Amino acid sequence: MKSHLMATYNPLPISFERGEGSWLIDKNNDRYLDALGGIAVTSVGHCHPKVVKAITEQAHKFIHLSNIITIPEQYSLADKLCKLAQMDQVFFCSTGAEANECAIKLARLYGHKNNIENPQIIVTDKSFHGRTLATISASGNRKVQAGFEPLVSGFVRVPFDDIAAVQEIAKHNKNIVAILLEPIQGEGGINIPSKEYLPSLRKICSDNNWLLMIDEVQSGIGRTGKWFSYQHFDNVIPDVISLAKGLGGGIPIGACLTTGRANDIFEFGNHGTTYGGNPLCCHVSKTVLDIIEEEDLCKNSAILGEKLLSILKDKLKNLPQVVAIRGQGLWIGIELNRPCREILNIALQHKVLFSITALNTIRLAPPLNINSEEIDYLVDKLCKVITEFGAG
C-alpha cells in the first residue's frame, strides 16, 4: 500500500488494537508483552484506569489554553516535580529534545550573563539528546548528524566516563559554561559509568562555576529504581535536569528543571512554546507521578529490574552471541556480537516487543508496574529469541 507518510521510520509489520498494562493486543486478540514501553514512555502501562480518567476529566473541561493565561495545572505539577527532584523552577515543553534545547539555551544565556562571549558546553561521545539541530549537534552520534551540516557550534566533546578529559579541559578552556550528559546512555547502548563519575563531575562544575546539566529524558521518572538516576548518588544535585518520556505516561510532555545558579536565568520573552504546559498534559502528568508514588513503582522498578538483570545474566551467560548484559532498574541492554535488527521480527513470532539501540543492543524498558510473573514470561521469550538469533 502506498503511503503518504515520509519514510523517517521503518516500522515492524504489525499493529495493535489496544493495550492493557504491560500487554499489547492485535486484531486477532493475540497478546504481546511490551518490553519497550513506547521507548521508556508508558511508565504506568497501557490504559491505566487513573490515567484514562484523568484524560477524560480534563478533556471535558478544556485541553489547551495559551500561556498568556494562568494555568493552575502547571503550578500543581511544578510543585510535585520540584519536590521529587529537589529543584526550584520548571519550564514545560512537549518533548525531550525541547527540554534539552531549553537547557542549551539556558547555558548560553548563563554564560553571557557571566561575561563569556563564546560560551561552550562539554558533551560526551555516544550520547543522544534529540533530533533538533542543536541537540543532534550536542549528540555524540554521527549517524543522526550526517547530512545536516553545518552543525551548531559551541560543543566540546569528551569520552563518556572520562573524568580526566573533563579536568584537562577545565585547565585550558575558559569558555566552558556547562556539562550536558546522560547519567546512563540510552541510545548509546545502555552504558553505565563508574560510581565516581557523576560525583566527580558535580565537584568539577561547582569548582569552575559551570552548570551540571543532566539529561534524564530516558533515565528519569523511576526508570532506574529511583525517581531520577542521579539520586543513586549522595550529594549529587544537578543545576539543570531535562525530562520527558515517562513523565506523561504516553501524553507528550517535557520539562526543564533548574536550581541554584541556574535559577532565574530566563526572563520574560527569552523562551517559550505553544503547547508546553497545556492543562491536559499537566493534569495527566501529575496523575502519572501520583500513581508511581502511590503504587511504589520506583521500588518495583528496582526490585524487578534486579531480578530481570540477574536471571538474564545467568540464563544467557553461555551464549556466544551475547557480549554483555547491563542495566539499572527496568532499563536493561543486552549487547550482541553483531547488528541485530532482524531479531525484532523473531521477537514478534514469540509475542514480545523490544527495540534495538546502538545497532547491536537489545533495549528493554517495560512499564514500571510490570509484575514478577510477566518478568518470568519476558525472560523465557528473550532466551528463545536470542538463541534463535544466534542459530541464524
Side-chain angles (χ1 to χ4, degrees):
M1 181 180 70
K2 182 180 178 181
S3 173
H4 292 286
L5 295 174
M6 289 188 181
T8 52
Y9 305 106
N10 185 17
L12 294 170
I14 191 169
S15 60
F16 297 100
E17 297 286 308
R18 64 189 190 280
E20 296 174 0
S22 300
W23 299 88
L24 291 166
I25 298 99
D26 69 11
K27 62 184 180 181
N28 298 317
N29 216 35
D30 289 331
R31 297 168 64 86
Y32 294 71
L33 183 69
D34 183 7
L36 173 60
I39 311 181
V41 167
T42 54
S43 46
V44 295
H46 297 285
C47 299
H48 192 291
K50 291 183 179 179
V51 171
V52 173
K53 181 181 178 183
I55 293 170
T56 305
E57 286 176 344
Q58 189 58 51
H60 278 297
K61 297 178 182 178
F62 38 68
I63 293 172
H64 178 77
L65 294 172
S66 168
N67 280 303
I68 67 169
I69 297 169
T70 298
I71 301 174
E73 291 83 1
Q74 289 184 4
Y75 290 83
S76 178
L77 177 57
D79 288 348
K80 181 83 171 184
L81 269 179
C82 285
K83 180 180 178 182
L84 293 172
Q86 297 176 266
M87 305 297 276
D88 299 317
Q89 297 178 349
V90 185
F91 174 84
F92 289 118
C93 50
S94 300
T95 67
E98 285 181 78
N100 283 323
E101 280 274 346
C102 181
I104 291 166
K105 285 181 67 175
L106 189 148
R108 288 193 173 190
L109 190 57
Y110 170 80
H112 286 295
K113 287 189 173 186
N114 283 279
N115 300 312
I116 297 174
E117 293 185 6
N118 182 29
Q120 298 177 0
I121 300 169
I122 294 176
V123 292
T124 68
D125 289 339
K126 299 182 180 179
S127 61
F128 181 79
H129 298 293
R131 295 278 187 171
T132 66
L133 272 175
T135 54
I136 66 169
S137 300
S139 297
N141 183 336
R142 183 56 194 153
K143 183 178 178 182
V144 304
Q145 297 171 339
F148 299 108
E149 300 84 354
L151 300 176
V152 176
S153 61
F155 299 104
V156 177
R157 200 168 307 284
V158 297
F160 184 63
D161 198 20
D162 190 333
I163 299 166
V166 178
Q167 291 171 330
E168 190 65 22
I169 290 173
K171 293 177 185 177
H172 304 292
N173 190 331
K174 302 308 177 185
N175 290 317
I176 300 298
V177 297
I179 299 175
L180 171 64
L181 80 155
E182 301 159 276
I184 297 174
Q185 292 186 326
E187 300 300 323
I190 318 299
N191 300 316
I192 301 175
S194 62
K195 293 181 179 179
E196 299 78 23
Y197 190 51
L198 280 186
S200 296
L201 293 184
R202 176 64 279 175
K203 184 177 188 307
I204 292 170
C205 286
S206 298
D207 290 346
N208 290 277
N209 203 32
W210 299 349
L211 301 178
L212 178 60
M213 307 198 302
I214 296 188
D215 178 346
E216 293 263 13
V217 170
Q218 284 198 52
S219 58
I221 315 299
R223 178 54 51 191
T224 67
K226 299 279 189 181
W227 276 105
F228 307 98
S229 188
Y230 66 83
Q231 291 175 335
H232 289 281
F233 304 91
D234 294 331
N235 302 315
V236 175
I237 303 294
D239 300 293
V240 181
I241 307 169
S242 52
L243 298 172
K245 291 192 179 288
L247 177 59
I251 291 292
I253 184 170
C256 183
L257 283 64
T258 65
T259 192
R261 60 172 66 96
N263 286 339
D264 301 314
I265 301 299
F266 285 143
E267 299 173 4
F268 175 69
N270 281 151
H271 197 47
T273 175
T274 297
Y275 293 106
N278 71 69
L280 178 68
C281 290
C282 286
H283 182 58
V284 174
S285 180
K286 171 66 162 51
T287 300
V288 169
L289 298 181
D290 289 343
I291 292 168
I292 293 172
E293 196 166 50
E294 292 162 5
E295 299 183 9
D296 208 0
L297 297 186
C298 290
K299 182 178 180 180
N300 194 63
S301 177
I303 292 172
L304 292 190
E306 183 178 354
K307 172 184 175 177
L308 178 57
L309 188 64
S310 176
I311 296 175
L312 285 174
K313 285 183 175 181
D314 180 60
K315 296 280 189 180
L316 301 175
K317 63 184 177 183
N318 294 321
L319 294 183
Q321 64 269 35
V322 176
V323 174
I325 304 173
R326 50 187 176 263
Q328 191 168 40
L330 286 170
W331 200 28
I332 291 173
I334 306 170
E335 183 180 347
L336 303 180
N337 62 358
R338 64 184 188 272
C340 58
R341 178 171 170 80
E342 68 270 24
I343 202 172
L344 298 177
N345 289 304
I346 299 173
L348 288 183
Q349 295 171 22
H350 289 275
K351 304 293 191 296
V352 66
L353 188 69
F354 50 76
S355 69
I356 300 301
T357 188
L359 298 179
N360 67 338
T361 302
I362 293 171
R363 170 173 46 190
L364 306 176
L368 304 182
N369 52 359
I370 192 171
N371 63 42
S372 187
E373 291 75 18
E374 290 166 340
I375 290 290
D376 291 338
Y377 177 96
L378 175 59
V379 169
D380 177 66
K381 295 297 184 180
L382 280 170
C383 290
K384 291 175 181 176
V385 168
I386 295 170
T387 299
E388 190 171 327
F389 169 76

